[in-house]
Amino acid sequence: MDKVMAFLENQVMPRAARVAEQTHMAAIQQAFVVIMPYLIISSFFLVIANLPIPGYNEFMSGIFGNGWKACLDYPVAAIFGLMSLHLSGMLGLKLAQRYKLDVGAVTVLSTVCFLIVTPFNIKVAEKTYACIPTDWLGAKGLFVAMIMAIISTEIFRKITERGIIIKMPPGVPTGVARSFASLIPATATIIVAVIIREVFALTSFDSIHKFIYTLVAMPLGVIGNSFFGALANVFVVTLLWSVGLHGGVIVSGVLHPIYLPLMEQNLAAFKAGLPLPNVVTEQFFTMLWVGGAGATIALVLTMFFRARSEQYKELSKLALPSAFFNINEPILFGLPIVLNPVMLIPFVVTPMILCAINYAAMYFDIVARPMGVIIPWTTPPIIQGWLITGSWTGAALQLVDILIAMAIYYPFFKLLDKRQIFDEQQ
């Protein structure tokens, strides 16, 4: 362990620190820190609305009426459902602060440019309606939101620094002068955003959102029921999440038609009392994501028991209740894991190791295979493994997964914790 820690501290951390200190990377992390409390609040509403307890929905409906869950969904939709929209403006704000630009102008401009490239024409019964699908405003649109915020801010900065602005005479109020100074840079930036939108509209992708989605998703279509296919699935999901893309949504949208028949085959075999034919089904990955993508409940538990810095102690207390229900946005964006060079390694490697262990355990019938039942995704780990496999071995496997993941995450988290302690002492 000492050699591992020395290698990470002497080789990995200096390089990771240089990446993290890069202007855009640092601004992205700061933007995520700002919206993190709201993600935690939204997670609480999400947990309350989806508690996996038999009869829970009926009980709540009897007290609050049939619309009780819709009320809890409002803050979830306003925060999670519009995450990319919030991030686009906040990232523009943070970059503007670093470049000493007009913060208000850049914040609004970043949001406007993101919305410009987002499709908002929907055809229903041969009629076209101007409305923006929330799919691209939530986690699926994070990558585009970051790209457009950076592009718009950089264009605004370059034009402003070259003095291509409207200068008002002395005596004009500062606020008015600042507004006129932003007219030319903002107009040029918006024109670029419109060009980006129209260029993609001329292609089969229709929008930059669909281009990125297709570019990432299409290669996954060849993955089927195999060990290497499962590894590729896990690798892509975590890699996408590490840069802010909702890996689960992208991958499941492509692979769901592949895994659904495999799940049905297992269910039919289970009902007939026959051996289950498939290891890799959607439930295989459900068991793998203990605490959410990246098996992050292990990281939260590591923080809870081993953190020495005040910030990580408090973050673990806030993230732990959500992690028990497989909601890990508070830790993904609060630590953060997204765009964090230090945590990229364990976040990607850990689930791949767990995937290999789980596949081997089920392939050699040491652990029962998923029997094809679909359970709520918020079902807590260990209970989840028991319900998916119908056996105590499934629960035991998830417990082993958590312990292994904690061992992998620990040295990397210890480095972050050490650096945070130093910052707090300063």
Side-chain angles (χ1 to χ4, degrees), residues 256-272:
H256 182 74
I258 296 175
Y259 291 135
L260 185 59
L262 303 178
M263 177 190 73
E264 292 177 344
Q265 291 171 14
N266 278 18
L267 184 59
F270 176 77
K271 290 180 177 179

Side-chain angles (χ1 to χ4, degrees), residues 175-186:
V176 176
R178 189 183 297 118
S179 298
F180 275 89
S182 66
L183 281 176
I184 293 176

Side-chain angles (χ1 to χ4, degrees), residues 114 117-119 136 140-141 144-145 207-214:
F114 170 64
V117 301
T118 302
W136 301 120
K140 284 177 66 176
V144 175
S207 71
I208 186 174
H209 290 276
K210 291 182 181 178
F211 169 73
I212 291 178
Y213 180 88
T214 305

